[in-house]
Amino acid sequence: MGSSGINAEYMGSSGINAEYMGSSGINAEYTFWESCGIADLITTCYGGRNRKCAEEFVNRGGGDASLWVDIETELLNGQKLQGTLTTQEVYEVLEAHNIVDEYPMFKEVYDISFRGSSPENLIKRLETIDLN
C-alpha cells in the first residue's frame, strides 16, 4: 500500500478501480448495471420526452412526419426531441452502407415515424422476427 493507504495493485494511479475501467476510462456495461444506469433506462422508458411524444404521435394516428414538430412544440415547452433526429441520422448511415435490412426493428420504427407506416406494423414485426 502507498502512503494514502490505497492498494496500488487494485487501484490505478487515478484512484479509480482498474477492474471496471477500460483504457478509455469508461466501462459501459458496468455503468449500465449500476443503479444510475438502470434508473435512467426506467425513467426514459416510462417518462422520457421521446416516449411521451411517440405515444402522442400514435394517439394522433401518426402518418405525417411533420406531426413531430407540432407535438414537440405542444408538449415539450421549448425542449427538443432527440430520438427523431437520431433515428434519421442512424437511418442515413445504415442506408449509405446498404445494411438497413439487417436492422428490421429499427427500419420499422423509422417507417412508422417518417414514412406513414402503421404503428401496428411494429407488433407484427415483433411476432415475425427470428431472435436466434
Side-chain angles (χ1 to χ4, degrees):
M1 283 197 210
S3 61
S4 66
I6 298 173
N7 183 333
E9 291 177 17
Y10 188 68
M11 303 295 279
S13 60
S14 65
I16 297 173
N17 184 336
E19 177 183 347
Y20 297 113
M21 304 302 276
S23 60
S24 67
I26 298 171
N27 184 311
E29 183 176 349
Y30 177 75
T31 301
F32 175 80
W33 290 111
E34 283 292 297
S35 63
C36 61
I38 296 293
D40 186 54
L41 176 65
I42 291 168
T43 301
T44 299
C45 291
Y46 285 101
R49 61 187 139 174
N50 290 308
R51 190 228 33 97
K52 177 181 183 178
C53 291
E55 181 179 350
E56 185 64 21
F57 183 82
V58 170
N59 286 339
R60 293 187 189 187
D64 185 3
S66 66
L67 183 57
W68 289 114
V69 175
D70 296 338
I71 291 170
E72 180 182 72
T73 301
E74 293 169 22
L75 297 182
L76 297 184
N77 299 318
Q79 289 185 314
K80 296 293 183 186
L81 270 174
Q82 296 171 330
T84 51
L85 179 60
T86 301
T87 300
Q88 290 173 311
E89 291 173 347
V90 169
Y91 190 87
E92 288 175 13
V93 171
L94 296 176
E95 196 171 48
H97 293 281
N98 200 29
I99 57 173
V100 173
D101 290 334
E102 293 179 31
Y103 300 89
M105 291 298 299
F106 183 83
K107 181 181 184 308
E108 198 62 55
V109 168
Y110 182 87
D111 289 348
I112 292 166
S113 300
F114 301 105
R115 292 188 170 157
S117 184
S118 171
E120 285 132 11
N121 290 343
L122 185 61
I123 303 302
K124 290 176 187 172
R125 173 64 73 179
L126 280 170
E127 293 172 344
T128 61
I129 285 182
D130 180 15
L131 299 176
N132 295 319

